[in-house]
Amino acid sequence: MPMMALVNPVYDCLFRLAQPDSLNKEEEVDCLVLQLHRVGEQLEKMNRQRMDELFVLIRDGFLLPAGLSSLAQLLLLEIIEFRAAGWRTTPAAHNYYYSELSD
């Protein structure tokens, strides 16, 4: 499995992006969420414990928003719900998060 060698370094990068000082920067939250959309499901299959630990940081970052922008909160909530729905976007979630973009 060639990707196995990349699992821990990718997790390390995601953990860095989930630290409180990074969550205060919208660009870093956007990067974190984008990467989780792309490879989150595969990473979780290879190491669920680390994904659980990562989402504890993400959840805590969402719940304790000291200086967190509205956009960062929205992105974090969206990725939390995305994972909870089995790495899929439900129709209700799509309408909630993306309806303004299509109007």
Side-chain angles (χ1 to χ4, degrees):
M1 277 175 111
M3 188 174 163
M4 197 61 187
L6 298 174
V7 170
N8 285 324
V10 171
Y11 267 121
D12 292 343
C13 291
L14 295 174
F15 270 83
R16 179 63 195 105
L17 289 169
Q19 296 302 311
D21 63 314
S22 293
L23 293 178
N24 285 327
K25 299 173 186 142
E26 285 182 0
E27 304 84 25
E28 294 190 23
V29 173
D30 190 44
C31 181
L32 171 66
V33 170
L34 181 63
Q35 296 312 312
L36 285 169
H37 272 280
R38 289 182 177 165
V39 297
E41 184 175 15
Q42 293 85 5
L43 285 173
E44 184 168 43
K45 287 176 183 174
M46 295 185 179
N47 190 334
R48 183 177 178 97
Q49 180 180 346
R50 282 205 77 187
M51 187 62 72
D52 290 343
E53 293 167 3
L54 178 62
F55 269 80
V56 166
L57 286 175
I58 292 170
R59 183 204 62 215
D60 289 351
F62 174 76
L63 292 175
L64 305 171
L68 210 58
S69 72
S70 297
L71 178 59
Q73 286 179 313
L74 185 72
L75 289 168
L76 293 177
L77 180 59
E78 190 273 337
I79 199 63
I80 290 167
E81 290 187 2
F82 186 70
R83 181 187 183 212
W87 299 102
R88 305 284 178 265
T89 301
T90 65
H94 186 272
N95 287 340
Y96 181 79
Y97 292 107
Y98 304 109
S99 63
E100 281 191 22
L101 298 176
S102 60
D103 289 343

